[in-house]
């Protein structure tokens, strides 16, 4: 007779039951594949460190990339003043273009921003018409980008046509480029005229390019001030872009001083202190002293001979002019010192 086996079955079945529990629990814990909604929520949030020093979860689409190399160039107040100045420029430019083209012209300020040189050039379409220019005495080379369709429209208007914008753009010919140069010089000249703090700005065109890949006017990480205008004849608008290296516009930004600054602060902003270059210490400069006030006719000069005496005005002999490298710099009194001729400097020459 066989012994009963029923008590053995519960004890043998217990281990499998105990082994199945962790498996089920593990499937539930690592069950991200079975709950795609929870995974999407987890991926849509990013842990960030806030300004209070606390880590928080933020939506991924609320986080924007930021290039710290471009920080510190323009504070909001400076950017606001520059925008106000360019709004004045846009209004004047629209009136100036209407006078030249003799047709209704629209110019609108779209945006003003700081961008990296490489990022800007990579986003330019091809082909496009790029004019390289300088604004002496400011340093750096600026870019004026005019879409080919708008360029062809302006050329058509300059030649007496209606200024209709073509359906598609193409590279401009040499004759069309020469005509567009007239408009480009007008645009840049008008921009220079809106900086009365620096009246000596002189615009000059230096070249052209139709492919941004060949531009080498600045290093790739250079910060650029990009001004985008929507312009065109009638309601057919295309973007025109003025792009300046930040080093070019930095002196102009400094001149946009707040109204609360003193006159001394404004003068300091306009005339920064110059630093002496030690490389010039041993450079020789010709020094010449001249008397002023004695005039002779050409005939009298031809009759001069040894022993003649010239009568000098005593006031002029006490105020000789000292020239450094042929440039008048000081007024002085002549005399001798240690047996040699000398000049005592009494005042600078007014400039």
């Amino acid at each position: 007779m066989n012994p009963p086996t029923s008590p053995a079955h519960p004890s043998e079945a217990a281990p499998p039951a105990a082994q199945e529990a962790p498996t089920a629990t593990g499937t539930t814990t690592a069950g991200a594949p079975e709950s795609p909604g929870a995974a999407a929520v987890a991926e849509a949030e990013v842990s960030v460190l806030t300004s209070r020093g606390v880590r928080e979860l933020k939506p991924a689409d609320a986080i924007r990339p930021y290039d710290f190399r471009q920080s510190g160039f323009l504070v909001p107040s400076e950017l606001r003043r520059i925008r106000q100045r360019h709004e004045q420029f846009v209004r004047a430019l629209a009136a100036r273009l209407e006078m030249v083209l003799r047709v209704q012209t629209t110019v609108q300020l779209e945006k003003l921003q700081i961008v990296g040189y490489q990022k800007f050039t990579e986003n330019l379409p091809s082909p496009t018409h790029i004019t390289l220019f300088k604004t002496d005495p400011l340093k750096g080379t600026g870019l004026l980008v005019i879409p080919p369709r708008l360029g062809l429209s302006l050329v058509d208007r300059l030649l007496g046509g209606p200024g209709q914008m073509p359906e598609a753009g193409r590279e401009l010919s040499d004759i069309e480029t020469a005509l567009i140069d007239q408009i480009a010089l007008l645009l840049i000249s008008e921009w220079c005229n809106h900086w009365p703090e620096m009246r000596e700005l002189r615009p000059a065109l230096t070249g052209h390019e139709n492919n941004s890949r060949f531009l080498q006017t600045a290093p790739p990480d250079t910060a650029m001030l990009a001004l985008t205008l929507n312009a065109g004849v009638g309601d057919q608008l295309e973007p025109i872009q003025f792009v300046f290296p930040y080093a070019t516009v930095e002196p102009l930004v400094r001149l946009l001083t707040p109204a609360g600054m003193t006159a001394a602060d404004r003068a300091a902003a306009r005339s920064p202190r110059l630093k002496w270059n030690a490389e010039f210490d041993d450079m020789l400069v010709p020094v010449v002293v001249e008397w002023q006030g004695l005039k002779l006719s050409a005939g009298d000069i031809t009759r001069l001979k040894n022993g003649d005496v010239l009568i000098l005005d005593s006031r002029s002999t006490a105020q000789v002019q000292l020239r450094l490298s042929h440039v008048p710099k000081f007024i002085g009194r002549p005399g001798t010192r240690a047996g040699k001729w000398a000049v005592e400097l009494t005042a600078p020459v007014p400039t």
Side-chain angles (χ1 to χ4, degrees):
M1 182 176 179
N2 296 329
T5 58
S6 56
H9 289 291
S11 61
E12 292 176 0
Q19 292 175 3
E20 289 177 2
T23 304
T25 305
T27 303
T28 304
T29 304
E34 296 182 1
S35 55
V41 172
E43 292 178 357
E45 292 184 340
V46 179
S47 176
V48 299
L49 185 64
T50 66
S51 58
R52 301 187 303 273
V54 180
R55 287 197 173 275
E56 296 179 358
L57 291 178
K58 297 289 185 180
D61 56 0
I63 299 176
R64 295 177 296 176
Y66 185 78
D67 189 350
F68 284 91
R69 294 174 298 181
Q70 311 300 337
S71 63
F73 288 109
L74 289 176
V75 298
S77 59
E78 292 175 333
L79 193 60
R80 183 171 59 255
R81 288 194 293 270
I82 291 180
R83 185 177 182 86
Q84 291 174 351
R85 181 62 59 91
H86 282 93
E87 288 173 350
Q88 300 172 5
F89 159 66
V90 167
R91 290 193 294 269
L93 180 60
R96 183 86 178 272
L97 284 175
E98 287 188 349
M99 292 177 59
V100 173
L101 300 176
R102 297 185 178 277
V103 69
Q104 180 184 358
T105 306
T106 303
V107 183
Q108 302 171 349
L109 177 59
E110 181 178 350
K111 59 184 176 181
L112 182 70
Q113 60 182 344
I114 295 287
V115 297
Y117 181 78
Q118 183 174 7
K119 181 180 179 180
F120 172 78
T121 55
E122 287 177 349
N123 291 333
L124 287 178
S126 182
T128 189
H129 185 72
I130 306 172
T131 302
L132 284 64
F133 65 90
K134 286 183 172 291
T135 51
D136 293 330
L138 298 178
K139 299 179 181 179
T141 299
L143 305 176
L144 175 61
V145 183
I146 300 179
R149 293 180 66 235
L150 178 59
L152 292 172
S153 171
L154 296 175
V155 168
D156 180 66
R157 183 56 191 164
L158 289 173
L159 294 177
Q164 187 68 26
M165 193 172 294
E167 293 295 332
R170 57 170 175 81
E171 294 186 10
L172 303 183
S173 66
D174 292 342
I175 295 178
E176 291 166 342
T177 298
L179 292 172
I180 287 297
D181 280 350
Q182 300 179 21
I183 299 296
L185 194 58
L186 181 148
L187 298 177
I188 303 168
S189 299
E190 190 64 33
W191 184 86
C192 293
N193 292 339
H194 276 74
W195 296 97
E197 299 87 351
M198 188 174 287
R199 297 181 180 275
E200 65 273 16
L201 288 179
R202 300 181 302 275
L205 307 185
T206 60
H208 307 89
E209 189 55 73
N210 55 26
N211 194 325
S212 61
R213 293 183 301 172
F214 303 118
L215 287 175
Q216 296 181 354
T217 59
D221 57 349
T222 301
M224 310 291 288
L225 178 67
L227 171 68
T228 303
L229 311 176
N230 286 327
V233 176
D235 56 353
Q236 299 177 334
L237 304 183
E238 287 280 326
I240 295 179
Q241 294 175 293
F242 282 85
V243 187
F244 306 89
Y246 181 76
T248 299
V249 298
E250 184 178 13
L252 301 177
V253 174
R254 292 178 178 175
L255 295 178
L256 294 178
T257 54
M261 294 186 68
T262 63
D265 294 334
R266 292 191 180 95
R270 292 187 178 91
S271 304
R273 184 183 298 274
L274 299 178
K275 295 182 179 180
W276 175 253
N277 189 344
E279 297 293 333
F280 299 146
D281 285 346
D282 299 327
M283 180 175 292
L284 299 179
V285 178
V287 179
V288 178
V289 177
E290 295 180 346
W291 273 269
Q292 301 289 334
L294 177 62
K295 295 183 179 180
L296 294 176
S297 65
D300 291 339
I301 293 176
T302 60
R303 290 188 289 271
L304 288 176
K305 59 183 182 299
N306 292 340
D308 288 347
V309 177
L310 300 178
I311 305 300
L312 301 177
D313 188 350
S314 59
R315 291 173 298 178
S316 64
T317 55
Q319 293 185 346
V320 299
Q321 192 177 80
L322 186 140
R323 293 174 174 260
L324 301 178
S325 189
H326 309 292
V327 178
K329 287 296 183 182
F330 297 99
I331 296 174
R333 289 192 294 266
T336 59
R337 184 170 185 177
K340 297 182 179 180
W341 285 104
V343 174
E344 179 185 5
L345 304 182
T346 58
V349 173
T351 58

